[in-house]
Amino acid sequence: MLVPRRWPALGVRARAAGAALIASALAFAVATPLVGHIVRVRLEHAALEQGWAAIADLEARVRSGAGGGEFQNHSYAVLAQDGRWLRSANLEDPRDADPALGLPALSPDQYGTNSPHMLGTDLVTVRYPNGHAPHHRLPTAGPRTYRFLRKLTEPVSAARLAQLPPNGPRADPANLPDQQLLLYVLIDPLTGDETAATLTRVLAYDVAPATSLFVALIAWLATGLALRPVESIRRQMAAVREGAFHERVPVPRARDGIHRLARTTNDTLDRLQHALDEQRRLVADASHELRSPLAALRSSLEVPLAHPVAADWPTVVRGALTDAERLQDLADDLLLLARAERDTDRPGDSADTADTDTDAGAGGTVDLHDLIAEQLAERQYGGRELAYESELDEAVLTGREMLPARLVRNLLDNAARHADGRVAVTLAVADGWARLTVEDDGPGIPAADRERVFERFVRLDDARDRHTGGAGLGLALVRTIAHSLGGTAAAEPPGRLPGARLVVRLPTANSS
């Protein structure tokens, strides 16, 4: 339980080196016995192949009466039909130590030219108890089974048998009748055992520690090289934290996770700098816009106070109220603009705007065509005499009524402010989108200014004052509200009427 607690406290390089060390050690722990087993099996197979060749050669030598001195590299035994060891090399007759031990002999009825043992070479196993083995060089730490190749020769004449040099007095082959001999060749396991044990020991005690440490060192160095871009990003972010908002982190060439991290970081810094610039510009513009009505309000109050007897106080109060209403409208527009921008950045989060929407609940739908029709009906009475034309398809939006209503009102206010006599409103629905177009027959918008009109506090006609031209927030609110609702707002070239043509696209409630 100590490793999981201390592991997070280590650095990335230390964790990578530790993981590489553990992985390498585990790999050697699994591979070492596996490699030893494979080597042992391969060597035992090679020993078996050598045993097949040895027993064939031994049979040929025995039948020809040749001596066995030059055949000492193999472990073999030649048994007579009565079980006596006539000849052997590197094998000991275990009956000298225990009469119950010995290589298995054949029964008398198993001899003969028709015996199944004449058909080929048998592979037999003999289990030796603790302390006994076919040869003193073989391990005897515990009971073990040894493999032998067994071969029954064709009948050998007494003359040939007499030529076999005996192992000792009890194994004198002289005066033996013609008979078949039983040959045994040991499949020596010593080479496989010693090689596998040596290889396992070298891998476990020499190769594994050195290799694991080397792999850990390589992981340490490689992780350090891989983290260099991250350190560069950290240094640049530290500079940004100190106020250098124009700085950007370096982007590595490799298309990997660090490359994506650097690009995402730069995108985030771009958005932060844009938001900061917008905030500074908003504060500056708002201060500039608030200065005039505040100055007018102060002047309208200071002058009457200097001459209270001659002042027309009802007129003074009405003027101050008008200036206060302008200030309130400007503050409301700025507040709505900020909230709409927040909803654009965080769609679906409108909890803070709940207090400003008294016409709708937390969800629901809005009939955009009815909302437009109501506002057009209101404008038919009072104010400037303008001709309003409308073609409205049924369009249902998801959400609250306040934002779409303000969007429509600002579009109609802008058209009414610039129109000479006609305003055309078209609402069409296609492919899950509602397209609202508002046109007028006024002077229109120059092509170079069709994007700039959606910026805050922009007035294309400098001759208009703030009383007739507004504060310059109307179309900025239109685009911001459209974005917060998932749509777009743009100024397009003139269509039916020669003046301005503003188009807003919003997703309908049944759009996917």
Side-chain angles (χ1 to χ4, degrees):
M1 298 301 292
L2 295 178
V3 174
R5 293 180 181 178
R6 296 180 180 177
W7 185 265
L10 299 176
V12 175
R13 299 181 69 182
R15 279 183 283 176
L21 180 64
I22 295 174
S24 179
L26 290 177
F28 274 103
V30 174
T32 297
L34 181 61
V35 171
H37 174 72
I38 293 175
V39 169
R40 180 183 291 106
V41 170
R42 293 288 181 88
L43 292 177
E44 288 179 353
H45 179 74
L48 180 61
E49 294 291 335
Q50 294 176 0
W52 286 100
I55 199 169
D57 192 12
L58 178 62
E59 181 184 19
R61 290 174 179 275
V62 169
R63 292 178 58 191
S64 64
E70 66 276 15
F71 204 62
Q72 296 297 319
N73 292 331
H74 297 278
S75 301
Y76 69 93
V78 180
L79 277 66
Q81 289 188 199
D82 58 4
R84 283 186 295 168
W85 284 43
L86 301 181
R87 184 68 185 165
S88 67
N90 299 324
L91 288 183
E92 300 175 354
D93 188 353
R95 292 177 298 179
D96 294 338
D98 187 349
L101 298 177
L103 297 175
L106 298 179
S107 60
D109 57 349
Q110 291 178 313
Y111 285 88
T113 57
N114 295 327
S115 172
H117 294 279
M118 290 294 294
L119 301 178
T121 304
D122 297 334
L123 181 62
V124 297
T125 58
V126 180
R127 185 169 182 80
Y128 283 76
N130 187 19
H132 297 276
H135 191 273
H136 68 277
R137 294 177 57 248
L138 296 176
T140 58
R144 180 167 181 174
T145 299
Y146 296 89
R147 299 187 302 166
F148 294 85
L149 286 175
R150 183 172 62 182
K151 174 70 175 179
L152 184 61
T153 68
E154 293 183 356
V156 180
S157 66
R160 295 294 186 188
L161 292 176
Q163 296 176 5
L164 291 176
N167 273 13
R170 292 189 307 171
D172 186 3
N175 302 321
L176 288 178
D178 297 349
Q179 59 180 291
Q180 294 174 278
L181 301 179
L182 189 60
L183 309 180
Y184 279 95
V185 172
L186 173 67
I187 307 300
D188 189 3
L190 186 61
T191 302
D193 290 347
E194 291 180 346
T195 304
T198 302
L199 180 62
T200 301
R201 183 172 58 255
V202 171
L203 288 176
Y205 297 103
D206 298 331
V207 177
T211 304
S212 298
L213 291 176
F214 178 75
V215 170
L217 177 61
I218 294 299
W220 172 275
L221 297 176
T223 306
L225 293 176
L227 290 178
R228 282 186 178 179
V230 178
E231 178 61 20
S232 300
I233 293 175
R234 187 202 64 79
R235 287 196 299 267
Q236 291 299 105
M237 290 300 295
V240 172
R241 183 186 60 186
E242 296 300 326
F245 296 104
H246 63 282
E247 295 287 345
R248 295 297 179 265
V249 302
V251 180
R253 294 182 179 179
R255 302 285 180 170
D256 54 7
I258 298 179
H259 175 89
R260 294 190 294 272
L261 171 64
R263 295 196 59 177
T264 303
T265 301
N266 285 338
D267 292 342
T268 303
L269 291 176
D270 289 340
R271 294 193 63 182
L272 289 176
Q273 184 176 11
H274 177 73
L276 182 61
D277 293 342
E278 287 293 312
Q279 182 183 20
R280 290 171 176 172
R281 189 165 67 89
L282 176 62
V283 171
D285 291 341
S287 300
H288 177 74
E289 293 296 326
L290 290 172
R291 182 181 304 167
S292 295
L294 285 174
L297 178 60
R298 180 175 180 177
S299 176
S300 65
L301 295 177
E302 285 180 345
V303 173
L305 284 176
H307 307 281
V309 177
D312 184 2
W313 287 106
T315 303
V316 171
V317 172
R318 283 193 294 271
L321 181 60
T322 300
D323 291 335
E325 288 175 351
R326 289 176 54 206
L327 287 172
Q328 182 178 359
D329 291 341
L330 181 58
D332 289 342
D333 286 346
L334 290 174
L335 179 61
L336 181 60
L337 184 64
R339 287 173 173 172
E341 288 179 343
R342 183 213 59 193
D343 291 341
T344 301
D345 295 334
R346 295 184 300 171
D349 181 11
S350 57
D352 294 341
T353 60
D355 57 339
T356 64
D357 188 3
T358 58
D359 299 329
T365 58
V366 179
D367 295 330
L368 183 59
H369 54 285
D370 289 342
L371 190 150
I372 297 173
E374 291 175 2
Q375 294 206 22
L376 289 176
E378 293 176 359
R379 294 173 184 272
Q380 296 291 341
Y381 305 96
R384 296 181 55 193
E385 293 183 358
L386 296 175
Y388 289 91
E389 305 171 4
S390 63
E391 296 180 9
L392 307 179
D393 293 344
E394 292 187 2
V396 180
L397 307 181
T398 301
R400 301 177 174 182
E401 182 178 339
M402 184 194 69
L403 294 181
R406 187 56 181 271
L407 181 147
V408 173
R409 182 180 301 111
N410 285 10
L411 286 174
L412 295 179
D413 287 344
N414 182 79
R417 185 178 299 116
H418 299 93
D420 290 335
R422 296 174 60 194
V423 175
V425 181
T426 304
L427 178 62
V429 178
D431 300 327
W433 289 88
R435 179 184 174 92
L436 173 61
T437 305
V438 178
E439 303 175 82
D440 62 67
D441 59 352
I445 303 174
D449 295 325
R450 286 174 186 159
E451 277 298 314
R452 200 165 69 89
V453 294
F454 292 101
E455 298 178 4
R456 300 166 181 166
F457 305 109
V458 170
R459 303 181 187 86
L460 298 183
D461 188 355
D462 295 334
R464 285 196 299 268
D465 59 21
R466 291 176 176 83
H467 293 280
T468 59
L473 291 176
L475 294 184
L477 272 171
V478 167
R479 172 165 283 185
T480 304
I481 292 174
H483 287 174
S484 69
L485 296 176
T488 60
E492 297 183 354
R496 294 170 49 188
L497 300 181
R501 186 168 187 258
L502 301 176
V503 179
V504 175
R505 295 178 70 252
L506 300 174
T508 58
N510 58 353
S511 62
S512 56

